[in-house]
Amino acid sequence: MGIQFGSFDQICETAALVICPLVGSSQGIEPSCYSRNVEISGTLIFQPSTCFVHIVAIFMTGIMIFHIRSKYTAVGRKEILMFFYLYAIIELLAIFLDSGIIPTANVSYPWFAAIYTGLVAGAYTCLLINGFVGFQFAEDGTPLSLWLLRISTFVVFGVSLFIAIATFKKLAGFDYAKPIALWIIYILWPLVCSVVYIVSQLILVFRTLEDRWPIGDIVFGTAFFTIAQVILFAFSVTICDAIKHYIDGLFFFTLCMLLSVMMVYKYWDSITREDLEFSVGSKATVWEVKDPLLANDFEEDTSSSYAHGGPPASLVGGVSGKQLYNGGGGGGGGGGRGYPPAMERF
């Protein structure tokens, strides 16, 4: 399938995108093959399998957000959180738009589709800026870094929202028959942001990190993103016909995009480390005797207790002295790792 710049005709004939009922003509553009619908309590639900993936994506995003929030001192924590919040909102809105819960004939559909378009463009902008957080042009977590991210994302969201609704409603010189501006922000802008993010992270890994394992996360994320685009725009009709309309390319597109977002989290998690000195958790308290005199007294007291028939002090409660230094032998939340000698508590 050839993709023509500024035209949704070939794209929408292949893939059932959210904006397809609103561009091309007054009746929109209908795909040549799309997933079967199901009827639930008298309501037709379109793309049921894709909606299931949307629900799974929201659930998985919630887990990723929880783990990101638990890394209190990780670099870029607040910045990357905004991207995952936006992704969760996009998936939630996509459930109502893809399923037909908000009918395409409803007067509110163009507005929700415009908001969806703005959120997609804003999310990719947020990802783009997150790609430069690791270079510390502005210290992460500071008002300068956060407000730069928020303002940039909001501006792109607002501009994209205006272009989308103006195109749908034929306002301010925009026309749904020639949606060039909408094509740029919906098709081209996400591709540009993704390429810049990938290149910036490869530079970051090669220039600042000794570990090369994060490159694998970047490669897998890029592969899932590429497969998603190819399946949606090239093989959606083929898949739909082969599986007899039970699912189409949009299902695999949504699934692969979820996997690529998960790889963004995996990559961020692999290049950030928690600072144990300032982290908040249920770590077992570890004490190390620094004074040799106190250490001798401790040994004498242990021998005395054993000589009088009592258990050695180092074995009280079933915990040996070696286990105490190593974080309680796996109990009390220490997990058996303990602190290295340079991390004593005073």
Side-chain angles (χ1 to χ4, degrees):
M1 182 202 73
I3 297 179
Q4 183 180 353
F5 180 84
S7 175
F8 284 97
D9 292 342
Q10 293 85 1
I11 294 175
C12 289
E13 287 175 359
T14 303
L17 301 179
V18 168
I19 63 174
C20 287
L22 303 169
V23 296
S25 66
S26 59
Q27 301 299 320
I29 304 173
E30 184 178 356
S32 57
C33 185
Y34 48 85
S35 177
R36 296 185 182 187
N37 52 57
V38 296
E39 184 177 354
I40 301 177
S41 301
T43 302
L44 286 178
I45 304 297
F46 296 88
Q47 300 285 351
S49 56
T50 304
C51 291
F52 175 76
V53 178
H54 288 315
I55 295 173
V56 173
I58 294 173
F59 177 75
M60 295 303 300
T61 306
I63 295 176
M64 290 185 285
I65 289 174
F66 173 78
H67 285 287
I68 293 172
R69 288 176 60 90
S70 66
K71 297 185 70 171
Y72 296 96
T73 60
V75 175
R77 167 178 168 268
K78 294 182 179 179
E79 286 82 358
I80 200 67
L81 269 175
M82 185 172 177
F83 168 74
F84 285 100
Y85 282 136
L86 288 172
Y87 176 72
I89 296 172
I90 290 170
E91 291 300 300
L92 178 63
L93 190 56
I95 294 176
F96 295 94
L97 296 175
D98 285 336
S99 66
I101 295 176
I102 302 176
T104 57
N106 193 288
V107 293
S108 64
Y109 186 89
W111 290 96
F112 281 104
I115 293 173
Y116 175 86
T117 303
L119 287 172
V120 170
Y124 277 100
T125 304
C126 183
L127 181 66
L128 172 67
I129 298 176
N130 266 281
F132 296 98
V133 170
F135 294 95
Q136 294 292 293
F137 295 113
E139 187 176 353
D140 63 285
T142 60
L144 175 61
S145 175
L146 293 175
W147 281 107
L148 175 64
L149 176 66
R150 293 167 183 169
I151 292 174
S152 301
T153 303
F154 181 78
V155 168
V156 173
F157 165 77
V159 172
S160 302
L161 171 63
F162 172 77
I163 292 176
I165 196 63
T167 302
F168 302 153
K169 299 289 186 179
K170 297 185 68 173
L171 303 174
F174 295 93
D175 190 351
Y176 52 71
K178 297 180 179 179
I180 298 177
L182 181 62
W183 193 91
I184 292 174
I185 64 173
Y186 197 89
I187 302 296
L188 186 59
W189 177 245
L191 180 61
V192 171
C193 292
S194 300
V195 171
V196 174
Y197 176 80
I198 293 168
V199 172
S200 65
Q201 297 316 291
L202 288 174
I203 295 174
L204 180 67
V205 171
F206 281 113
R207 291 188 58 183
T208 62
L209 300 181
E210 297 180 358
D211 189 6
R212 295 292 181 262
W213 283 107
I215 296 177
D217 301 328
I218 299 175
V219 171
F220 277 107
T222 305
F224 286 130
F225 179 82
T226 304
I227 292 172
Q229 312 305 316
V230 172
I231 288 178
L232 182 66
F233 297 130
F235 297 104
S236 182
V237 175
T238 304
I239 294 172
C240 184
D241 290 333
I243 311 181
K244 299 180 180 180
H245 293 244
Y246 283 103
I247 57 176
D248 57 6
L250 189 62
F251 168 82
F252 293 103
F253 170 81
T254 306
L255 179 61
C256 289
M257 289 301 296
L258 169 61
L259 294 174
S260 65
V261 170
M262 292 175 66
M263 294 313 300
V264 171
Y265 162 76
K266 182 66 172 61
Y267 164 74
W268 176 86
D269 185 63
S270 66
I271 66 172
T272 56
R273 293 292 183 267
E274 181 78 318
D275 190 345
L276 295 177
E277 183 178 359
F278 299 101
S279 64
V280 179
S282 58
K283 303 288 185 181
T285 303
V286 179
W287 303 90
E288 181 181 6
V289 179
K290 301 291 290 185
D291 193 331
L293 296 178
L294 294 178
N296 293 334
D297 292 342
F298 180 78
E299 293 176 356
E300 292 176 359
D301 180 69
T302 300
S303 303
S304 176
S305 299
Y306 185 71
H308 287 81
S314 61
L315 297 178
V316 174
V319 181
S320 68
K322 183 177 180 181
Q323 288 176 319
L324 182 64
Y325 175 77
N326 287 330
R337 290 189 310 173
Y339 294 97
M343 295 294 292
E344 304 97 347
R345 291 190 176 182
F346 299 94

PDB file of all heavy atoms in Angstrom, residues 84-100:
ATOM      1  N   PHE A  84       3.683   8.252  30.952  1.00  0.00           N
ATOM      2  CA  PHE A  84       2.836   7.095  31.204  1.00  0.00           C
ATOM      3  C   PHE A  84       1.423   7.512  31.621  1.00  0.00           C
ATOM      4  O   PHE A  84       0.455   6.803  31.314  1.00  0.00           O
ATOM      5  CB  PHE A  84       3.477   6.202  32.258  1.00  0.00           C
ATOM      6  CG  PHE A  84       4.641   5.415  31.735  1.00  0.00           C
ATOM      7  CD1 PHE A  84       5.941   5.826  31.963  1.00  0.00           C
ATOM      8  CD2 PHE A  84       4.441   4.275  30.986  1.00  0.00           C
ATOM      9  CE1 PHE A  84       7.014   5.111  31.470  1.00  0.00           C
ATOM     10  CE2 PHE A  84       5.506   3.543  30.484  1.00  0.00           C
ATOM     11  CZ  PHE A  84       6.798   3.968  30.722  1.00  0.00           C
ATOM     12  N   TYR A  85       1.291   8.637  32.303  1.00  0.00           N
ATOM     13  CA  TYR A  85      -0.051   9.150  32.601  1.00  0.00           C
ATOM     14  C   TYR A  85      -0.797   9.483  31.310  1.00  0.00           C
ATOM     15  O   TYR A  85      -1.984   9.160  31.149  1.00  0.00           O
ATOM     16  CB  TYR A  85       0.043  10.398  33.481  1.00  0.00           C
ATOM     17  CG  TYR A  85       0.322  10.105  34.938  1.00  0.00           C
ATOM     18  CD1 TYR A  85       1.263  10.845  35.651  1.00  0.00           C
ATOM     19  CD2 TYR A  85      -0.364   9.105  35.619  1.00  0.00           C
ATOM     20  CE1 TYR A  85       1.529  10.583  36.983  1.00  0.00           C
ATOM     21  CE2 TYR A  85      -0.107   8.839  36.957  1.00  0.00           C
ATOM     22  CZ  TYR A  85       0.839   9.584  37.636  1.00  0.00           C
ATOM     23  OH  TYR A  85       1.093   9.328  38.961  1.00  0.00           O
ATOM     24  N   LEU A  86      -0.111  10.125  30.376  1.00  0.00           N
ATOM     25  CA  LEU A  86      -0.729  10.468  29.094  1.00  0.00           C
ATOM     26  C   LEU A  86      -1.114   9.205  28.320  1.00  0.00           C
ATOM     27  O   LEU A  86      -2.201   9.138  27.724  1.00  0.00           O
ATOM     28  CB  LEU A  86       0.225  11.325  28.258  1.00  0.00           C
ATOM     29  CG  LEU A  86       0.439  12.762  28.725  1.00  0.00           C
ATOM     30  CD1 LEU A  86       1.549  13.432  27.916  1.00  0.00           C
ATOM     31  CD2 LEU A  86      -0.851  13.567  28.614  1.00  0.00           C
ATOM     32  N   TYR A  87      -0.248   8.216  28.341  1.00  0.00           N
ATOM     33  CA  TYR A  87      -0.548   6.965  27.630  1.00  0.00           C
ATOM     34  C   TYR A  87      -1.777   6.286  28.227  1.00  0.00           C
ATOM     35  O   TYR A  87      -2.628   5.760  27.484  1.00  0.00           O
ATOM     36  CB  TYR A  87       0.659   6.030  27.693  1.00  0.00           C
ATOM     37  CG  TYR A  87       0.422   4.684  27.064  1.00  0.00           C
ATOM     38  CD1 TYR A  87       0.319   4.557  25.680  1.00  0.00           C
ATOM     39  CD2 TYR A  87       0.287   3.539  27.844  1.00  0.00           C
ATOM     40  CE1 TYR A  87       0.087   3.319  25.092  1.00  0.00           C
ATOM     41  CE2 TYR A  87       0.065   2.299  27.267  1.00  0.00           C
ATOM     42  CZ  TYR A  87      -0.037   2.197  25.889  1.00  0.00           C
ATOM     43  OH  TYR A  87      -0.274   0.966  25.322  1.00  0.00           O
ATOM     44  N   ALA A  88      -1.901   6.293  29.540  1.00  0.00           N
ATOM     45  CA  ALA A  88      -3.063   5.685  30.185  1.00  0.00           C
ATOM     46  C   ALA A  88      -4.346   6.414  29.795  1.00  0.00           C
ATOM     47  O   ALA A  88      -5.388   5.782  29.530  1.00  0.00           O
ATOM     48  CB  ALA A  88      -2.884   5.697  31.704  1.00  0.00           C
ATOM     49  N   ILE A  89      -4.306   7.745  29.735  1.00  0.00           N
ATOM     50  CA  ILE A  89      -5.487   8.516  29.342  1.00  0.00           C
ATOM     51  C   ILE A  89      -5.857   8.230  27.890  1.00  0.00           C
ATOM     52  O   ILE A  89      -7.040   8.101  27.541  1.00  0.00           O
ATOM     53  CB  ILE A  89      -5.239  10.022  29.556  1.00  0.00           C
ATOM     54  CG1 ILE A  89      -5.029  10.314  31.038  1.00  0.00           C
ATOM     55  CG2 ILE A  89      -6.406  10.845  29.033  1.00  0.00           C
ATOM     56  CD1 ILE A  89      -4.595  11.743  31.320  1.00  0.00           C
ATOM     57  N   ILE A  90      -4.856   8.131  27.027  1.00  0.00           N
ATOM     58  CA  ILE A  90      -5.104   7.825  25.614  1.00  0.00           C
ATOM     59  C   ILE A  90      -5.785   6.466  25.462  1.00  0.00           C
ATOM     60  O   ILE A  90      -6.753   6.314  24.706  1.00  0.00           O
ATOM     61  CB  ILE A  90      -3.783   7.854  24.823  1.00  0.00           C
ATOM     62  CG1 ILE A  90      -3.270   9.286  24.709  1.00  0.00           C
ATOM     63  CG2 ILE A  90      -3.958   7.244  23.437  1.00  0.00           C
ATOM     64  CD1 ILE A  90      -1.866   9.385  24.152  1.00  0.00           C
ATOM     65  N   GLU A  91      -5.297   5.473  26.187  1.00  0.00           N
ATOM     66  CA  GLU A  91      -5.896   4.138  26.102  1.00  0.00           C
ATOM     67  C   GLU A  91      -7.317   4.126  26.642  1.00  0.00           C
ATOM     68  O   GLU A  91      -8.196   3.440  26.105  1.00  0.00           O
ATOM     69  CB  GLU A  91      -5.025   3.138  26.865  1.00  0.00           C
ATOM     70  CG  GLU A  91      -3.688   2.858  26.219  1.00  0.00           C
ATOM     71  CD  GLU A  91      -3.843   2.278  24.838  1.00  0.00           C
ATOM     72  OE1 GLU A  91      -4.448   1.197  24.700  1.00  0.00           O
ATOM     73  OE2 GLU A  91      -3.392   2.921  23.873  1.00  0.00           O
ATOM     74  N   LEU A  92      -7.556   4.887  27.695  1.00  0.00           N
ATOM     75  CA  LEU A  92      -8.917   4.963  28.247  1.00  0.00           C
ATOM     76  C   LEU A  92      -9.872   5.608  27.247  1.00  0.00           C
ATOM     77  O   LEU A  92     -10.996   5.121  27.037  1.00  0.00           O
ATOM     78  CB  LEU A  92      -8.895   5.761  29.553  1.00  0.00           C
ATOM     79  CG  LEU A  92     -10.256   5.981  30.230  1.00  0.00           C
ATOM     80  CD1 LEU A  92     -10.862   4.644  30.647  1.00  0.00           C
ATOM     81  CD2 LEU A  92     -10.107   6.896  31.444  1.00  0.00           C
ATOM     82  N   LEU A  93      -9.436   6.686  26.617  1.00  0.00           N
ATOM     83  CA  LEU A  93     -10.283   7.360  25.635  1.00  0.00           C
ATOM     84  C   LEU A  93     -10.485   6.494  24.393  1.00  0.00           C
ATOM     85  O   LEU A  93     -11.568   6.502  23.782  1.00  0.00           O
ATOM     86  CB  LEU A  93      -9.643   8.700  25.250  1.00  0.00           C
ATOM     87  CG  LEU A  93     -10.475   9.664  24.408  1.00  0.00           C
ATOM     88  CD1 LEU A  93     -11.797   9.976  25.103  1.00  0.00           C
ATOM     89  CD2 LEU A  93      -9.699  10.946  24.146  1.00  0.00           C
ATOM     90  N   ALA A  94      -9.456   5.725  24.024  1.00  0.00           N
ATOM     91  CA  ALA A  94      -9.554   4.862  22.845  1.00  0.00           C
ATOM     92  C   ALA A  94     -10.608   3.778  23.021  1.00  0.00           C
ATOM     93  O   ALA A  94     -11.211   3.325  22.033  1.00  0.00           O
ATOM     94  CB  ALA A  94      -8.196   4.230  22.552  1.00  0.00           C
ATOM     95  N   ILE A  95     -10.842   3.345  24.253  1.00  0.00           N
ATOM     96  CA  ILE A  95     -11.876   2.332  24.488  1.00  0.00           C
ATOM     97  C   ILE A  95     -13.229   2.845  24.021  1.00  0.00           C
ATOM     98  O   ILE A  95     -13.988   2.142  23.331  1.00  0.00           O
ATOM     99  CB  ILE A  95     -11.926   1.960  25.984  1.00  0.00           C
ATOM    100  CG1 ILE A  95     -10.634   1.260  26.409  1.00  0.00           C
ATOM    101  CG2 ILE A  95     -13.130   1.064  26.270  1.00  0.00           C
ATOM    102  CD1 ILE A  95     -10.571   0.952  27.889  1.00  0.00           C
ATOM    103  N   PHE A  96     -13.551   4.087  24.341  1.00  0.00           N
ATOM    104  CA  PHE A  96     -14.859   4.651  23.988  1.00  0.00           C
ATOM    105  C   PHE A  96     -14.960   4.982  22.505  1.00  0.00           C
ATOM    106  O   PHE A  96     -16.044   4.892  21.921  1.00  0.00           O
ATOM    107  CB  PHE A  96     -15.110   5.909  24.819  1.00  0.00           C
ATOM    108  CG  PHE A  96     -15.221   5.647  26.286  1.00  0.00           C
ATOM    109  CD1 PHE A  96     -14.126   5.759  27.124  1.00  0.00           C
ATOM    110  CD2 PHE A  96     -16.433   5.265  26.853  1.00  0.00           C
ATOM    111  CE1 PHE A  96     -14.230   5.508  28.474  1.00  0.00           C
ATOM    112  CE2 PHE A  96     -16.546   5.020  28.209  1.00  0.00           C
ATOM    113  CZ  PHE A  96     -15.445   5.132  29.022  1.00  0.00           C
ATOM    114  N   LEU A  97     -13.838   5.346  21.885  1.00  0.00           N
ATOM    115  CA  LEU A  97     -13.866   5.720  20.479  1.00  0.00           C
ATOM    116  C   LEU A  97     -13.805   4.511  19.555  1.00  0.00           C
ATOM    117  O   LEU A  97     -14.537   4.430  18.563  1.00  0.00           O
ATOM    118  CB  LEU A  97     -12.703   6.674  20.170  1.00  0.00           C
ATOM    119  CG  LEU A  97     -12.766   8.023  20.895  1.00  0.00           C
ATOM    120  CD1 LEU A  97     -11.506   8.836  20.625  1.00  0.00           C
ATOM    121  CD2 LEU A  97     -13.990   8.811  20.467  1.00  0.00           C
ATOM    122  N   ASP A  98     -12.935   3.553  19.851  1.00  0.00           N
ATOM    123  CA  ASP A  98     -12.821   2.367  19.004  1.00  0.00           C
ATOM    124  C   ASP A  98     -14.039   1.461  19.114  1.00  0.00           C
ATOM    125  O   ASP A  98     -14.430   0.807  18.141  1.00  0.00           O
ATOM    126  CB  ASP A  98     -11.565   1.570  19.368  1.00  0.00           C
ATOM    127  CG  ASP A  98     -10.293   2.221  18.854  1.00  0.00           C
ATOM    128  OD1 ASP A  98     -10.377   2.988  17.874  1.00  0.00           O
ATOM    129  OD2 ASP A  98      -9.212   1.981  19.422  1.00  0.00           O
ATOM    130  N   SER A  99     -14.621   1.387  20.299  1.00  0.00           N
ATOM    131  CA  SER A  99     -15.728   0.461  20.520  1.00  0.00           C
ATOM    132  C   SER A  99     -17.058   0.977  20.004  1.00  0.00           C
ATOM    133  O   SER A  99     -18.018   0.210  19.890  1.00  0.00           O
ATOM    134  CB  SER A  99     -15.854   0.159  22.019  1.00  0.00           C
ATOM    135  OG  SER A  99     -16.235   1.337  22.723  1.00  0.00           O
ATOM    136  N   GLY A 100     -17.156   2.266  19.712  1.00  0.00           N
ATOM    137  CA  GLY A 100     -18.420   2.836  19.283  1.00  0.00           C
ATOM    138  C   GLY A 100     -19.345   3.179  20.427  1.00  0.00           C
ATOM    139  O   GLY A 100     -20.525   3.484  20.214  1.00  0.00           O
TER     140      GLY A 100
END
